[in-house]
Amino acid sequence: MKLTKRVVDGVQPGPSKQILWDSELKGFGLVVQPSGIKSYVVRYTTAAGRDRRLVLGRHGELTPDEARKRAAEVRAKARVGGDPIEERQQLRRSESLSDLVDVYRQRHLARLKLKTREEYERLLARDILPEFGSRSLEEISTGDVARWHAGLESPYAANRALAVLRSLFELAARWSLRDPARPNPCVYVLRNPEQGRERFLSDEELGRLGAALAEFEKREPRARNAVAAIRLLLLTGARRNEILRLRWEMLDRERSCAWLPDSKTGRRPLLLAAPAWEVLDSLRDRCDIAPSKGWVLPSARKSSEPLADVRKTFSAVCAL
């Protein structure tokens, strides 16, 4: 019987361990434990004539097709004199989490967006590598991870670091740098509770903030772009970087929106009401030549770069 997802899902655990062998690829099988855990295995014979059985991974983490492909690779390597189990054991004896991070940077982090990559690097350098960097992947236990997670100062940052560490172990199993049959030590560590907080300004507070922005703009003409950015944030509800990285060519007056690039679902519109267009028009009016390209909110120090932040300006406005 060929091992397909439908077949594997339909296998029920019994009082003892069961092994089902695939009819398509010799030596490829499924082990079903009495507990219900299902793992893919492959049998092969070494050049010395030794019979070996290698666990490829659990069902759910691997599909039958992915497991069959790995099994074929293992058997092909054994036919030319290799021993995947011995190679894996040698690798694990020398593999530390720091070694894994080096591979992680090349194979995974390099494909992420810059901002996400920078955040992951920060968590690795500050929270993960100092604790686990020199330790072997096989010796890091759930208890070790739980104690480390509980000891991190910020509950929110601790959850982010835990997510990165969990991803590291998942990829280590996928890349055969760790036994895929062993549970990820991060899986059973409970995340810290997180409670979102929303705060909306009243009409009176909005009026006072508007007056403070106007007053600050008179006092600090060089902060006009930062003040405009704050106004656009208030009027659109957009994320900070979505406003700070606006370019003139993104604006679409006909559709009353700005087209934001590089979102997870592709290009998406940011709706702009009339008050937001008034702010944008005032920015355009300040230029000698009405721009059609470039940053809407360039840095005062270097016009070829966007405004970096508005937090200092906002704090100064709130202090008025």
Side-chain angles (χ1 to χ4, degrees), residues 216-227 286 298-302 307 313:
F216 188 81
E217 189 173 15
K218 289 179 182 178
R219 295 185 186 183
E220 301 289 342
R222 287 177 57 84
R224 284 177 176 174
N225 281 357
V227 170
R286 292 180 200 154
S299 167
R301 295 180 179 178
K302 195 173 183 181
L307 189 65
T313 299

Side-chain angles (χ1 to χ4, degrees), residues 49-116:
R50 184 178 179 185
D51 289 330
R52 297 283 235 168
R53 183 183 296 174
L54 175 66
V55 178
L56 300 168
R58 292 188 180 185
H59 177 57
E61 297 175 353
L62 290 174
T63 67
D65 288 342
E66 289 171 339
R68 186 179 290 103
K69 182 179 178 182
R70 289 192 188 182
E73 292 170 351
V74 168
R75 289 180 62 83
K77 183 175 288 189
R79 282 196 295 271
V80 295
D83 185 351
I85 287 181
E86 179 61 29
E87 292 171 6
R88 181 182 287 185
Q89 289 174 345
Q90 289 177 356
L91 183 62
R92 286 182 196 143
R93 283 193 287 269
S94 61
E95 193 76 35
S96 68
L97 189 120
S98 181
D99 297 326
L100 171 60
V101 168
D102 290 338
V103 179
Y104 181 74
R105 287 184 172 121
Q106 296 171 14
R107 296 189 185 181
H108 185 70
L109 282 189
R111 298 186 289 109
L112 302 181
K113 294 180 181 179
L114 177 61
K115 185 175 179 181
T116 304

Side-chain angles (χ1 to χ4, degrees), residues 178-195:
R178 188 173 185 273
D179 186 351
R182 293 193 62 188
N184 187 321
C186 302
V187 167
Y188 300 109
V189 177
L190 296 178
R191 290 162 47 91
N192 295 315
E194 296 181 16
Q195 184 174 359

